[in-house]
């Protein structure tokens, strides 16, 4: 089992905890995140379907995975998990990007931080 977290780039908050119910893919739901006012506009482009490129509509967020909610916590602001994740480059003062792959101990620490952040 793999814990999933959703990171919102706009608000810089982490949401969770989720679990994949099947393998991820591209444009599993092309209309996902396309509600007016809630996401970037749809774009026309090339999508990968059955290992072949095909012209057509795609989601603004084409990398997708179907999931189930394991636990619903209050969103965790970045300043509350900055000490848990590994930042790329020189650290939090030099970059705003962190590694998305997490070690098991990081997942445990994040879950604990969610519990503490009532």
């Amino acid at each position: 089992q793999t814990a999933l977290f959703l990171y919102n780039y706009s608000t810089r908050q982490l949401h969770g905890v989720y679990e994949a119910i099947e393998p991820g893919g591209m444009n599993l739901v092309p209309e996902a995140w396309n509600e007016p006012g809630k996401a970037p506009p749809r774009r026309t482009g090339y999508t990968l379907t059955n290992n072949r490129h095909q012209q057509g509509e795609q989601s603004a967020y084409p990398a997708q995975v179907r999931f189930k909610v394991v636990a619903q916590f209050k969103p965790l602001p970045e300043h509350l998990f900055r000490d848990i994740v590994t930042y790329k480059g020189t650290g939090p003062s030099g970059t705003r990007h962190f590694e998305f792959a997490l070690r098991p101990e990081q997942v445990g620490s994040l879950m604990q931080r969610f519990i503490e952040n009532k």
Side-chain angles (χ1 to χ4, degrees), residues 58-109:
Q58 68 179 14
S59 170
Y61 301 98
Q64 302 171 358
V65 63
R66 288 186 173 88
F67 64 91
K68 67 178 181 178
V69 176
V70 174
Q72 190 68 48
F73 294 103
K74 188 165 84 172
L76 203 58
E78 187 173 9
H79 74 273
L80 293 180
F81 65 87
R82 187 173 286 140
D83 61 319
I84 297 171
V85 298
T86 304
Y87 282 82
K88 298 176 181 179
T90 59
S93 61
T95 180
R96 296 184 68 179
H97 304 286
F98 55 86
E99 299 289 340
F100 290 135
L102 301 169
R103 296 183 310 278
E105 60 271 14
Q106 288 174 302
V107 172
S109 295

Side-chain angles (χ1 to χ4, degrees), residues 4 24-25 27 29-30 53 55 57 60 68 74 82 87 105:
L4 299 175
N27 274 313
V29 181
H53 289 283
Q55 182 78 27
E57 296 281 338
K68 67 178 181 178
K74 188 165 84 172
R82 187 173 286 140
Y87 282 82
E105 60 271 14

